[in-house]
Amino acid sequence: MMSRKERHKRPITSRNRRQVRLLFLITGCALGVLLLVWSGYGAHVVDWVLGTDGGGRILHHKGTDATQSKGSDSSLDRNTVNGSAEDNIQVEQWLQTLTLDEKIGQMFLVHLSALTAEKPNQALSNILHELAPGGVILFKDDIKTVGQTIEDNVQMLRSSRIPLWIGVDQEGGVVNRILFAGDWNGNMAIAATGQPQLAKETAFETGSLMQLLSFNLNFAPVADVNDDPYNPVIGLRSFGSEPKQVSAYVRAYVQGAHKSGMPAIVKHFPGHGSTRTDSHVGLPQLTYDLKRFEQVEWLPFKAAIEEGVDMIMSAHIQVPQLEPKTTSSQKDGSLITIPATLSSRVLTDILRDQLHFQGAIITDALNMKAIADHFGSDEAAVMSIQAGADVLLMPPKPHQAIAAIHKAIEMGTLTEQRIDESVRRILHLKLKYKVTNAKQASQLNVEQAIGKAQSFIASNQAQGLMKRIAEQAVTRWGTESIANQPSMLITSSMNQVLLVGHDSVSLEALQRALVAGVKERRDAANKEKEGPEAANGNKKRSVETEVQVSKLEDTGLSDAIRAADAVVIVTNDVYRQPRRIRLLEKLIAQLEQLKKPVAVVAVGLPYDAQALANIPIGYVIYGLTDSNVRAAARVLLGRAAALGQFPVAIAGLP
């Protein structure tokens, strides 16, 4: 039997135990909520309970000023990176270890020359270590040989305090940075095949090469719809003029990049395909309304977002129907419309909120005149972050830009929270793609890495794909039936073929390809004839066909034509030159009178087919890569058919 004291003591002990259990339960719940918030997911729960959108704004009032997103005060919904809770926790832990300087540095992707120009008396390795940028971008002059490229890249990875992006513009075609790996087809050549799968294969092969060379970022593909023949900067870099077609190829390219293990980056939002100014040298403007952008320019970007594209690059273009705000140019004080790269309406309200892009937004190069002339390094850096950009590409003066960002934070026009939003996205991508850190780089066997890359290039695996694309891209037009293929213009009995054109580079490239093709055909024919009669000295050999070149304006052109058995007219965007078009029309009429076999080879954009629509036979090859001109030679020699299709609309042609 318990005493009265004991009977009173027992309930008190039981109550204490219940209180302790309750305390543990409350603490556990609190820790769970904190963990969720820390990982980026709890914010949504809090928002749901409070009825806000993550930035303190009341939900269900779209279209009011209260919901207009600002780059410096964007919502947590928009800034939560898609990823596992574990990844988000790792990113948060990583973020907490970084100083403000290091976080700002992560937003910079610099060119090495800009660093040495600012601090000419310091070694590049010291500048990189001090600045700790998020990444660097290399160009042709930085990429000379396999060994040098890998050694330099690995050294930068080893000396970086934070895993480093090493990027390159390896689009293929006219933007080919890695010359020792051979020529790569451009996007328009790929689209001319009619097979999006080839874009996926190209992206996979490109990504495989990038990683073997210790690159981890490639700024491709171009997603612009090139529907203006007079666009000076996109052209062959585009998959074409039809939005749905471009979307299919962009989607396939993103898939191929991801399959190779590389991030995919599409450019240039909100669309650079219809401008008539090159943003490298001026500030373009597109006056289209919202409906046009939604129906044309944005379709490929939407496809890329659906496919999980990692970064989207902005365009330095004025779009007054989307962003009407103006500012004074530093160049001459004139009023200019704020370019898309610096517009929160374009980058945040449209790209983030309307199109639901959750990856990283990267600016186009900030040293381009469209930005550098009118804003300068410091103002452009601050404005692009305020607009919603996460990565600043190639600011002309990186240290000056960083100082401007610090000043903006001190003045309250930027916040560290806004910096954190961008750095989260950057770190998430570096974690996702396992960007090599300094310790891993120090353990890398450089000689072995060089050997693997050299073996990949020597295998011609990628070049075999390029050859296949180039041959399937060749597109025929003209008054003669295209059903009769292959069509041999240059027969084995011809003594001389004349190439006529206005561009020396194009003429020389096709001449080399034809000389090699003629020799290959002759050797094959002679080999077939080798047999019992060769032993008796009766072996017959094919005619040695010479390939001559004349410029369109040469005074001796008429004599050269009379001496030739066939004439190939070589054009390179001659549609832009009305005077030369008239000369070519006159020349073609002369050749028809002489009954000379003639064909046109358009080595650039396919719009030459529109300017010369009434010729007997013409072929578009979509570029001057080795594979493009070799494909043209094979068609002219009757060894391949031209079965490609026009990726752009050509007036007067099907």
Side-chain angles (χ1 to χ4, degrees):
M1 176 179 283
M2 291 182 293
S3 67
R4 183 174 179 180
K5 184 177 181 180
E6 289 173 330
R7 288 196 303 270
H8 283 289
K9 185 177 180 180
R10 186 172 181 179
I12 294 173
T13 302
S14 177
R15 185 168 61 250
N16 287 344
R17 286 174 180 168
R18 287 196 300 272
Q19 290 173 343
V20 169
R21 285 197 297 269
L22 182 60
L23 180 61
F24 271 112
L25 181 61
I26 293 171
T27 303
C29 290
L31 286 173
V33 170
L34 285 173
L35 188 60
L36 279 170
V37 173
W38 194 19
S39 68
Y41 287 95
H44 300 293
V45 178
V46 174
D47 295 340
W48 179 77
V49 171
L50 297 179
T52 66
D53 67 353
R57 294 181 290 271
I58 304 301
L59 293 174
H60 314 304
H61 295 283
K62 290 187 178 180
T64 67
D65 291 340
T67 61
Q68 294 300 308
S69 56
K70 305 297 180 185
S72 58
D73 184 31
S74 49
S75 73
L76 290 180
D77 282 356
R78 185 168 53 244
N79 299 312
T80 300
V81 178
N82 278 335
S84 68
E86 181 182 354
D87 284 351
N88 285 343
I89 290 172
Q90 288 187 56
V91 166
E92 288 299 326
Q93 291 172 339
W94 195 355
L95 183 67
Q96 299 305 315
T97 67
L98 301 181
T99 66
L100 178 58
D101 278 338
E102 288 173 329
K103 287 189 282 191
I104 295 173
Q106 282 302 290
M107 299 179 69
F108 279 67
L109 211 152
V110 300
H111 188 225
L112 304 180
S113 63
L115 300 180
T116 54
E118 268 195 309
K119 299 197 173 185
N121 298 322
Q122 287 191 33
L124 177 60
S125 58
N126 292 339
I127 301 174
L128 278 172
H129 186 77
E130 172 195 337
L131 182 66
V136 298
I137 180 172
L138 304 184
F139 289 87
K140 278 191 295 189
D141 291 343
D142 306 309
I143 307 168
K144 297 180 177 69
T145 67
V146 172
Q148 167 266 322
T149 301
I150 292 176
E151 288 172 356
D152 287 355
N153 287 354
V154 170
Q155 182 56 43
M156 285 190 287
L157 291 171
R158 287 174 176 175
S159 61
S160 179
R161 303 200 305 269
I162 304 168
L164 184 75
W165 292 122
I166 302 181
V168 64
D169 275 312
Q170 182 58 27
E171 296 176 16
V174 295
V175 183
N176 185 40
R177 309 297 192 200
I178 307 174
L179 301 184
F180 57 71
D183 283 337
W184 295 65
N185 296 117
N187 287 348
M188 197 166 286
I190 296 171
T193 68
Q195 301 176 61
Q197 173 64 24
L198 294 178
K200 183 176 181 179
E201 292 180 35
T202 298
F204 178 80
E205 295 295 340
T206 303
S208 300
L209 174 65
M210 295 296 97
Q211 292 173 92
L212 288 170
L213 296 173
S214 294
F215 288 101
N216 48 37
L217 209 58
N218 184 29
F219 301 102
V222 169
D224 300 310
V225 177
N226 195 91
D227 67 346
D228 188 335
Y230 295 94
N231 185 311
V233 65
I234 302 301
L236 293 171
R237 301 166 66 194
S238 168
F239 287 115
S241 65
E242 204 288 310
K244 290 183 180 179
Q245 171 186 291
V246 175
S247 299
Y249 284 91
V250 167
R251 187 186 295 274
Y253 197 103
V254 171
Q255 291 171 351
H258 287 163
K259 184 179 178 182
S260 77
M262 287 282 285
I265 305 172
V266 296
K267 53 190 183 183
H268 310 80
F269 189 84
H272 210 317
S274 296
T275 62
R276 291 202 175 183
T277 301
D278 181 352
S279 50
H280 293 87
V281 297
L283 182 56
Q285 185 177 91
L286 282 183
T287 58
Y288 297 143
D289 61 13
L290 178 63
K291 183 177 180 181
R292 154 73 192 219
F293 278 104
E294 289 177 334
Q295 292 179 344
V296 179
E297 277 74 18
W298 295 349
L299 287 190
F301 292 98
K302 289 179 180 178
I305 291 169
E306 290 170 3
E307 207 56 51
V309 70
D310 304 284
M311 294 188 189
I312 293 181
M313 182 181 289
S314 66
H316 301 329
I317 63 173
Q318 299 172 99
V319 281
Q321 296 297 317
L322 303 181
E323 175 55 273
K325 293 179 184 176
T326 59
T327 188
S328 296
S329 165
Q330 287 188 9
K331 181 180 180 180
D332 55 17
S334 62
L335 279 182
I336 57 173
T337 305
I338 293 175
T341 292
L342 310 180
S343 165
S344 62
R345 166 65 182 154
V346 173
L347 299 190
T348 299
D349 295 357
I350 294 174
L351 186 52
R352 286 267 181 242
D353 294 346
Q354 183 176 333
L355 302 187
H356 308 296
F357 176 58
Q358 295 187 340
I361 298 173
I362 181 170
T363 71
D364 203 347
L366 294 175
N367 65 353
M368 293 162 63
K369 288 185 177 295
I371 297 295
D373 279 0
H374 300 285
F375 298 92
S377 192
D378 47 356
E379 186 179 14
V382 172
M383 288 182 69
S384 60
I385 296 173
Q386 290 172 331
D390 302 302
V391 181
L392 312 186
L393 178 62
M394 296 176 64
K397 297 179 180 179
H399 289 90
Q400 182 176 315
I402 288 174
I405 293 169
H406 272 289
K407 184 176 180 181
I409 293 173
E410 291 170 6
M411 295 177 64
T413 54
L414 275 179
T415 66
E416 187 169 356
Q417 179 188 8
R418 169 65 191 88
I419 302 299
D420 287 351
E421 291 168 3
S422 289
V423 178
R424 281 189 185 93
R425 297 190 186 100
I426 295 163
L427 297 182
H428 177 83
L429 287 175
K430 289 187 173 183
L431 181 67
K432 177 180 178 180
Y433 288 98
K434 299 179 174 60
V435 176
T436 304
N437 61 35
K439 182 178 179 181
Q440 292 166 333
S442 67
Q443 297 170 350
L444 184 67
N445 186 321
V446 174
E447 291 302 318
Q448 189 178 74
I450 292 172
K452 287 182 178 180
Q454 289 174 334
S455 296
F456 177 86
I457 294 169
S459 72
N460 286 323
Q461 178 177 320
Q463 291 308 302
L465 173 62
M466 297 306 107
K467 177 183 176 182
R468 183 156 50 99
I469 291 170
E471 291 192 351
Q472 294 181 34
V474 180
T475 307
R476 178 171 166 168
W477 90 94
T479 57
E480 291 190 8
S481 171
I482 64 172
N484 182 25
Q485 292 204 70
S487 175
M488 185 186 302
L489 178 81
I490 305 172
T491 67
S492 58
S493 63
M494 289 180 175
N495 291 302
Q496 188 178 112
V497 175
L498 179 66
L499 307 184
V500 181
H502 60 100
D503 176 54
S504 297
V505 173
S506 306
L507 286 168
E508 292 166 7
L510 188 55
Q511 183 187 35
R512 288 192 299 269
L514 273 175
V515 168
V518 166
K519 181 180 183 301
E520 181 183 318
R521 183 176 67 179
R522 185 181 65 246
D523 291 346
N526 290 334
K527 187 174 182 180
E528 288 176 6
K529 292 176 182 177
E530 289 177 353
E533 48 190 57
N536 299 324
N538 295 324
K539 183 168 66 172
K540 294 181 180 180
R541 293 193 173 270
S542 299
V543 172
E544 184 82 20
T545 305
E546 294 183 7
V547 183
Q548 300 293 329
V549 168
S550 285
K551 295 293 287 294
L552 187 57
E553 292 88 355
D554 285 354
T555 55
L557 179 59
S558 295
D559 292 337
I561 288 173
R562 279 191 290 269
D565 295 304
V567 175
V568 178
I569 297 172
V570 184
T571 68
N572 190 348
D573 295 351
V574 76
Y575 71 94
R576 300 173 185 266
Q577 306 171 47
R579 184 183 69 84
R580 283 186 167 145
I581 289 292
R582 289 192 293 271
L583 289 176
L584 287 174
E585 289 172 341
K586 184 178 178 181
L587 173 60
I588 292 166
Q590 177 187 351
L591 291 169
E592 289 178 340
Q593 285 181 351
L594 293 172
K595 299 190 183 304
K596 293 278 185 180
V598 60
V600 174
V601 174
V603 303
L605 286 160
Y607 304 110
D608 282 357
Q610 182 173 315
L612 298 169
N614 296 320
I615 62 167
I617 301 176
Y619 302 103
V620 182
I621 64 172
Y622 307 99
L624 273 174
T625 69
D626 286 345
S627 58
N628 293 143
V629 291
R630 285 197 301 266
R634 285 178 58 80
V635 170
L636 292 170
L637 293 167
R639 307 192 70 180
L643 302 177
Q645 58 190 37
F646 285 110
V648 298
I650 304 293
L653 296 178

